[in-house]
Amino acid sequence: MNLWENLRLAWEALMSNRLRAALTMLGIIIGVGSVIAIIAIGRGTRAAVIGEIQSLGGNLISIFPMQPSGSEGRFEMLNEDDLDRLPLVVPEIREVMTQDLLRTEVRHGAKRRRADLVGLSAGYAEAYRMTISPGRWFTREEDAAGARVAVIGSKVAEDLFGSEDPIGKAIYAAGYPFTVIGVVQPDTGLLARAFGGFGLEQMVMAPGTTVRRITGTRDIFTVDVVVKDGADLDQVVQDIKAYLKAAHPNGEFGVLSTQQITQALSSVTGILTGVIGAIAAISLVVGGVGIMNIMLVSVTERTREIGVRKAIGARRSDILWQFLIEAVVISVSGGLIGTALAQVPVWLVGRALDIPLSITWDAVALAVGFSVLVGVIFGVYPASKAAALDPIEALRYE
Amino acid sequence: MTAPLIRLEGVEKVYRSGSIAVHALRGIDLEVYPGEFVAIMGPSGSGKSTLMNIIGCLDRPTAGAYYLAGRRVSDLTEDELAYVRNRQIGFVFQTFNLLPRMTAARNVEQPLIYAGVGPAERRRRALVALERVGLGDRAHHKPNELSGGQRQRVAIARALVNEPSIILADEPTGNLDSRSGEEIMALLQQLNDEGVTILLVTHEPDIAAHARRVVTVRDGRITGDRPVTERLLAREVLANMAPGGELRWEDRPAAGGEPA
């Protein structure tokens, strides 16, 4: 076999019927293009989401109440005692933070709106990378003392104050007066945009102690635990579960580390990418059938040529290679064009989500390898049909 | 005396379609010596095409033996026959059978590709062959830019390029007007004068008369084998044919055209 000569013949054959070649390639272009784009977008968004979760604190563990299985009792909540005991029982815990939520109404002067009054520990501003401007976040001392201070979301500030500076002004939440000390700007992270936002800009945030005093309960909605650096997260999760079982025998709690959330998210996006990719790969098969169809037509049209080639000394294998390589050239050209065109959706999605997306070399190698495979699989039958032609019959063919 | 280039001994060919057996050849004995110019004549259905296919190693006899240049080729495998066709035989067809997408030079190069000759040497030998048939200046034209006579010259160059033992020409003038046909015969006579062995299949006595020996086939048997007594010399025929200033038929596009 003369590879170079066969490539040249294949190129000449394609160039002699460009429209047909382009239409034949279309299936492969779409197939390879969509597979590559999906892989790139899937990988890129997953990396961005995971990166963002990890930036929230790689060693955070959330504890939240769940419906006890097999009972109709109400959720058993964590309470303030647990906050004191947890760091003692599990020494790897550096800080315990709480989240409480109260759906209520906020008011400033005559302006009022509904908002969530969220009681938080002082550590959250840092853990969630909140942007506070103007003003400041509350201190640990204010939290411990149950100070009536509030950090309001930018949207709440706009609704209640308009263009007025809210810092130092009073608002009423759930009927209690609070002094506004800061304004939280909307979250700009990918997660916030992808899932509609945590809605920080719609909240009124106050020290957890203060909020629990208002609600008159010692129960806590959610606890986030910051683990000391270097601690074994899985072990800490086990220890926390053991403590909860002892302290709340009737309760049911979810204990999730950021690591577990990342893993779960990662496997979900992985499966999603795989499934969509597989659906896209079906179009590669359709494209392959298109190639086979055109190659069969081409073999029939070029029966005479095959006869002549055999008469001047081509062996079966020479003809087989010629047509096989032509099929592979079609599919690989389609694969390369598809790879090139995949840059467009990848760039658009990357720009829309504001995350870095790129087509990696292994994806390109996979696509090209796949298109060679498609070309060979769907080219073998037409090529062997051509190779098996009887030279006398072929020369006589009109 | 030199050894025969082609020796057929009792060659038979039977085609079977279902229960019917067609005896295309019923025992052919034939010897062709180097440098001969033999015309095989016969009406259609006489078996001359089958004979041509067997001599051209495109087909194998059902019985009998065929020796080409001293080698028994009647029972070679398909790939071995391809090798023999490539090295020993040059085909010239009625419909030229050039590859339409390629220039004349590339067409002529094709047999050398299967012979494993490198690109530079291929190109050189193709140009020499085109020069030999008088088409040195048309090397980079595609078949549809050439007249019928020129196309057949390209086909002859392709047949010559691998320096075969024999050229098999199957009705080479069948698709040409009489002037172009005569020019092709002049070229074949010239090549024969230079020592090329030529086997010509035709049903036209006027064309056969350009050969040195005519073998007549009928009903699968050789019914006549005689030297040509009044040989037509194409050069002379051409001289008597065209008074100066007449329309040059050679420049007309070929009837029938190239196969797609």
Side-chain angles (χ1 to χ4, degrees):
Chain A
M1 184 199 55
N2 187 326
L3 180 65
W4 181 243
E5 197 56 41
N6 275 318
L7 287 174
R8 187 170 170 188
L9 287 176
W11 183 251
E12 284 170 349
L14 297 190
M15 283 299 115
S16 72
N17 208 333
R18 287 166 208 217
L19 179 63
R20 185 203 273 183
L23 291 174
T24 311
M25 281 177 200
L26 199 60
I28 301 292
I29 293 174
I30 293 172
V32 168
S34 45
V35 168
I36 292 245
I38 287 162
I39 290 176
I41 292 169
R43 278 188 186 169
T45 47
R46 177 164 58 169
V49 166
I50 289 169
E52 199 162 306
I53 292 174
Q54 279 167 346
S55 79
L56 293 180
N59 43 5
L60 214 60
I61 295 173
S62 289
I63 308 168
F64 46 90
M66 298 200 298
Q67 176 87 45
S69 51
S71 87
E72 299 191 359
R74 58 171 294 232
F75 289 30
E76 179 147 346
M77 310 281 260
L78 292 162
N79 56 47
E80 287 181 338
D81 293 338
D82 295 316
L83 300 186
D84 298 334
R85 287 190 206 126
L86 260 172
L88 299 174
V89 178
V90 186
E92 288 88 354
I93 292 176
R94 195 177 75 200
E95 188 179 357
V96 179
M97 304 191 296
T98 63
Q99 290 183 35
D100 291 284
L101 188 78
L102 182 62
R103 295 245 145 92
T104 183
E105 191 183 68
V106 289
R107 181 169 68 79
H108 168 72
K111 291 179 183 154
R112 55 184 68 210
R113 58 160 285 176
R114 296 202 63 79
D116 288 341
L117 174 60
V118 187
L120 294 173
S121 298
Y124 275 108
E126 191 198 334
Y128 281 179
R129 307 265 193 284
M130 290 185 199
T131 312
I132 297 164
S133 162
R136 63 173 180 88
W137 186 250
F138 49 82
T139 62
R140 283 173 209 280
E141 291 69 33
E142 285 168 322
D143 182 19
R148 293 268 180 72
V149 291
V151 176
I152 59 177
S154 56
K155 191 73 180 60
V156 176
E158 194 186 312
D159 289 348
L160 296 185
F161 293 93
S163 55
E164 196 186 337
D165 179 12
I167 305 298
K169 305 275 162 47
I171 59 165
Y172 286 84
Y176 290 82
F178 287 82
T179 307
V180 176
I181 58 166
V183 176
V184 170
Q185 295 305 317
D187 196 339
T188 51
L190 173 68
L191 269 179
R193 270 174 294 120
F195 302 113
F198 294 134
L200 286 176
E201 70 273 19
Q202 303 278 7
M203 293 176 183
V204 173
M205 284 154 281
T209 322
T210 317
V211 172
R212 281 195 297 277
R213 277 184 196 166
I214 290 170
T215 55
T217 172
R218 302 181 70 244
D219 287 350
I220 294 159
F221 182 61
T222 300
V223 170
D224 286 324
V225 164
V226 182
V227 178
K228 288 176 183 160
D229 290 335
D232 179 355
L233 273 181
D234 289 336
Q235 186 55 47
V236 175
V237 167
Q238 292 309 316
D239 291 348
I240 292 173
K241 280 182 175 166
Y243 164 79
L244 291 170
K245 202 154 190 76
H248 301 271
N250 300 323
E252 191 85 25
F253 297 93
V255 181
L256 269 184
S257 67
T258 16
Q259 213 176 6
Q260 287 168 304
I261 296 173
T262 340
Q263 277 164 3
L265 210 63
S266 171
S267 73
V268 166
T269 51
I271 289 167
L272 211 63
T273 306
V275 169
I276 301 175
I279 293 170
I282 292 173
S283 65
L284 271 179
V285 175
V286 176
V289 173
I291 290 179
M292 178 150 84
N293 188 22
I294 283 303
M295 288 309 295
L296 284 172
V297 171
S298 178
V299 167
T300 309
E301 283 178 352
R302 285 148 72 191
T303 300
R304 240 346 157 82
E305 173 186 334
I306 295 161
V308 173
R309 287 186 177 283
K310 288 203 157 188
I312 63 176
R315 289 162 300 170
R316 251 172 198 260
S317 58
D318 292 319
I319 303 291
L320 183 84
W321 278 114
Q322 183 190 339
F323 282 88
L324 194 57
I325 285 173
E326 191 172 319
V328 170
V329 164
I330 294 177
S331 65
V332 170
S333 308
L336 291 175
I337 294 171
T339 307
L341 291 183
Q343 307 278 355
V344 175
V346 168
W347 182 79
L348 285 175
V349 170
R351 212 179 68 137
L353 295 181
D354 193 24
I355 51 174
L357 291 183
S358 61
I359 292 173
T360 51
W361 280 110
D362 57 334
V364 174
L366 186 81
V368 172
F370 220 85
S371 31
V372 170
L373 200 69
V374 166
V376 170
I377 289 174
F378 293 97
V380 156
Y381 175 64
S384 53
K385 226 182 135 174
L389 283 177
D390 173 47
I392 299 169
E393 295 291 326
L395 280 169
R396 219 179 273 155
Y397 184 84
E398 293 297 333
Chain B
M1 185 153 195
T2 52
L5 187 60
I6 287 173
R7 186 150 61 92
L8 300 180
E9 288 175 355
V11 164
E12 291 179 27
K13 183 70 188 181
V14 183
Y15 292 107
R16 294 193 182 280
S17 67
S19 56
I20 305 162
V22 179
H23 290 261
L25 296 178
R26 297 165 182 270
I28 299 273
D29 298 301
L30 180 68
E31 287 185 350
V32 176
Y33 287 84
E36 278 202 276
F37 191 157
V38 181
I40 296 178
M41 276 200 69
S44 50
S46 59
K48 65 180 193 300
S49 294
T50 306
L51 181 57
M52 177 84 175
N53 289 337
I54 286 174
I55 293 174
C57 290
L58 288 166
D59 205 352
R60 278 172 289 205
T62 316
Y66 168 26
Y67 298 87
L68 176 63
R71 186 180 180 198
R72 187 180 166 108
V73 293
S74 39
D75 35 33
L76 293 181
T77 66
E78 205 183 303
D79 278 1
E80 287 167 334
L81 285 178
Y83 182 87
V84 172
R85 289 196 294 268
N86 185 240
R87 307 299 166 111
Q88 309 257 38
I89 294 163
F91 285 97
V92 177
F93 303 97
Q94 179 175 355
T95 52
F96 324 137
N97 280 336
L98 299 178
L99 302 177
R101 289 186 297 275
M102 297 176 180
T103 62
R106 282 261 289 153
N107 263 290
V108 175
E109 276 182 39
Q110 294 303 308
L112 298 174
I113 293 173
Y114 299 120
V117 178
E121 174 67 5
R122 277 205 309 258
R123 181 49 52 114
R124 192 190 66 76
R125 281 164 68 175
L127 292 178
V128 168
L130 282 168
E131 204 68 56
R132 200 169 168 194
V133 300
L135 278 183
D137 57 336
R138 291 284 187 274
H140 304 294
H141 288 64
K142 289 189 176 175
N144 60 9
E145 299 160 347
L146 299 173
S147 71
Q150 288 172 329
R151 290 182 203 181
Q152 194 61 299
R153 282 164 189 268
V154 175
I156 292 171
R158 180 176 66 188
L160 282 172
V161 76
N162 224 358
E163 283 158 16
S165 307
I166 187 162
I167 287 199
L168 294 185
D170 188 0
E171 307 273 10
T173 60
N175 269 28
L176 298 174
D177 62 81
S178 54
R179 184 182 178 89
S180 302
E182 205 55 44
E183 283 169 349
I184 290 301
M185 291 316 296
L187 175 60
L188 290 178
Q189 283 184 332
Q190 176 205 323
L191 291 171
N192 179 244
D193 290 343
E194 291 166 15
V196 180
T197 312
I198 297 172
L199 208 78
L200 171 75
V201 172
T202 184
H203 65 276
E204 290 178 67
D206 285 352
I207 294 299
H210 290 76
R212 296 179 192 271
R213 172 183 165 196
V214 174
V215 173
T216 317
V217 180
R218 190 176 285 269
D219 297 330
R221 290 195 178 85
I222 290 179
T223 55
D225 189 345
R226 56 179 173 78
V228 175
T229 45
E230 289 176 45
R231 193 179 184 214
L232 283 177
L233 289 176
R235 205 175 292 278
E236 288 171 8
V237 176
L238 281 168
N240 295 330
M241 217 171 178
E246 209 186 77
L247 179 71
R248 282 175 57 82
W249 286 84
E250 186 190 351
D251 292 334
R252 282 164 41 112
E258 281 300 306

